[in-house]
Amino acid sequence: MINLKELLKKADEGRYAIPAFNYSDIWDLLAIIEAAEEERSPVIISSNPLVAEAIGVDYLAAINKVSMQLVRVPLIHHLDHSASFELCAECVEKGYPSVMIDGSALKLEENIALARKVVEFAHPKGVCVEGELGRIKGKSIEGEYKGEDFLVNVEEAIQFVKETKVDSLAIGIGTAHGFYDTNPELNFERLAEVNEAIKISLVLHGGTGIPDEDIKKAISLGINKVNIGTIIHCTYMNSLKEELSKRDKNPYTLEVLLPVKEEIKKVVKERIRVCGSSGQM
Ligand code: 13P
């Protein structure tokens, strides 16, 4: 099984990041995979808990198994933002090579205990675990964080990594989920401090709408994985609307969805290039 930790280490040495794209169904999933193949880029395909619940982990795990066998680029199927040990354990049991346990809404000690429990379950089966410290700024399913209360704390990061043994860490440095009203202000200083203090790979969440130059700077300062979600589902839905509007009633599924897939591919390729992962297979 390909190991995400190894891929992220290689990305760190090569000063690029591996993009992790959220998908909702087979069409955006195929768009992500085809774009990664054409760009010859390693790629992470992420199912969030809502998608895992709606489609079912059995289906997702089966698709995951087939896609990992068929593609020529390194491809990792990842469970994104799970606050639940049980869901992480189910995905580990059913063959996901990577899971994220997100206890960032909890107190530090509780977040540590939860992440450690997932690591102890996942590591013996060769599965990598991502944890999270600091919060994703703004209002989302994770809560609402304003002012400075979203920022990762360096001492806490050292303790968290030491006590949990997670393989990678998502850090709150000012990104938010979704589009931004004004340009986000990333705290690069804090990113550099955390990167200096801990040796494991760092993850940037909230990848939609961050200026390309800021993503590149974050990568140069130690980010090895960039999560991208909103731009994928918005491109999917908006091009679906556009394609449907061009047609009379009773359109055929593929006639509509194949051009939609091409639109998503364009966005995925663009993001891959910003992460610098083209040709890094
Ligand atoms: P965006 O939706 O802002 O791209 O963030 C995605 C993400 O961080 C998923 O974990």
Side-chain angles (χ1 to χ4, degrees), residues 22 80-81 176-178 205-208 227-230:
N22 289 106
D80 194 28
H81 276 298
H177 287 308
H205 280 244
T208 297
N227 282 19
I228 302 147
T230 302

Side-chain angles (χ1 to χ4, degrees), residues 91-110:
C91 290
V92 169
E93 291 284 12
K94 292 182 174 165
Y96 275 56
S98 175
V99 295
M100 175 188 191
I101 180 71
D102 180 1
S104 61
L106 304 172
K107 291 200 180 79
L108 179 66
E109 296 305 329
E110 292 165 358

Side-chain angles (χ1 to χ4, degrees), residues 195-235:
N195 190 44
E196 181 65 30
I198 62 173
K199 294 290 153 253
I200 64 167
S201 295
L202 299 179
V203 180
L204 188 71
H205 280 244
T208 297
I210 302 175
D212 294 353
E213 288 319 307
D214 282 358
I215 293 196
K216 288 180 187 166
K217 185 168 176 187
I219 294 170
S220 77
L221 291 171
I223 289 294
N224 308 129
K225 171 175 177 267
V226 176
N227 282 19
I228 302 147
T230 302
I231 190 74
I232 303 299
H233 71 245
C234 288
T235 304

